[in-house]
């Protein structure tokens, strides 16, 4: 059959060895068996990896990693549990998927760093103008509040006082301060047109 990988490899004397035998011999450290195994299966392993990775250079690296792993872990191969080709293709698939995940993770990390480091131009003049306009709107809205609410809000937001400090300063119960602040903020929200 043309274009198919046969599960045997030719030995120098013309004898065929099953890939499983080559893998078992590789597990015992037989370099010649590993060479025959490589020659018989490299194109198929590379083809699978290439389909998953698209990039030829990465596919070559991963294929090399697969055969290095096959050399190092051939003792784990059990012919009773399956054939050599599926075992090698499983190694190849795992390695290729790991490479895809690593590449995606690297791209995501680079994107996050790029976004974080991106200097977004800020129009300081426009921003300062907007803040000034908002301050004027708030100051104007504050003048329309009852004096007790205005005083509590001013002490809290402009004076930095806690509710307890405001109660002590104004000599009123803490509950009264909380009510004035809540009612004043509701009224300010309505006056400024803020929606929640």
């Amino acid at each position: 059959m043309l274009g198919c990988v046969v599960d045997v490899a030719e030995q120098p004397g013309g004898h065929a060895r099953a890939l499983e035998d080559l893998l078992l011999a590789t597990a015992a450290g037989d370099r010649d068996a590993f060479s025959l195994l490589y020659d018989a299966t490299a194109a198929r392993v590379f083809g699978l990896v290439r389909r998953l990775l698209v990039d030829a250079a990465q596919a070559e690296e991963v294929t090399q990693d697969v055969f290095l792993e096959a050399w190092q872990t051939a003792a784990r191969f059990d012919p009773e549990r399956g054939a050599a080709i599926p075992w090698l293709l499983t190694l190849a698939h795992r390695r290729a998927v790991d490479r895809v995940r690593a590449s995606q993770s690297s791209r995501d990390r680079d994107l996050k760093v790029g976004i974080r480091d991106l200097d977004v131009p800020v129009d300081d003049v426009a921003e300062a103008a907007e803040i000034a306009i908002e301050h004027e709107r708030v100051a104007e809205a504050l003048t329309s509040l009852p004096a007790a609410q205005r005083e509590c809000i001013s002490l809290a937001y402009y004076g930095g006082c806690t509710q307890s400090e405001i109660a002590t300063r104004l000599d009123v119960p803490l509950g009264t301060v909380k009510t004035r602040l809540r009612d004043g903020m509701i009224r300010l929200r309505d006056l400024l047109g803020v929606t929640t």
Side-chain angles (χ1 to χ4, degrees), residues 85-166:
I85 284 289
W87 187 81
L88 280 170
L89 293 179
T90 299
L91 292 179
H93 186 266
R94 286 181 186 152
R95 286 277 178 166
V97 168
D98 287 347
R99 179 63 66 97
V100 168
R101 288 181 180 150
S103 294
Q104 183 62 46
S105 181
S106 177
R107 279 192 300 274
D108 291 347
R109 208 172 24 256
D110 290 346
L111 180 61
K112 286 178 185 174
V113 168
I115 289 171
R116 184 189 70 213
D117 293 344
L118 180 65
D119 287 332
V120 179
V122 177
D123 187 352
D124 292 331
V125 174
E127 190 174 338
E130 281 184 40
I131 290 170
I133 290 168
E134 284 301 310
H135 280 289
E136 287 178 28
R137 286 186 64 215
V138 170
E140 186 178 320
L142 270 172
T143 61
S144 64
L145 293 179
Q149 291 175 359
R150 182 174 52 243
E151 187 175 27
C152 285
I153 290 175
S154 295
L155 287 171
Y157 292 96
Y158 295 119
C161 297
T162 65
Q163 293 176 347
S164 298
E165 291 170 340
I166 295 169

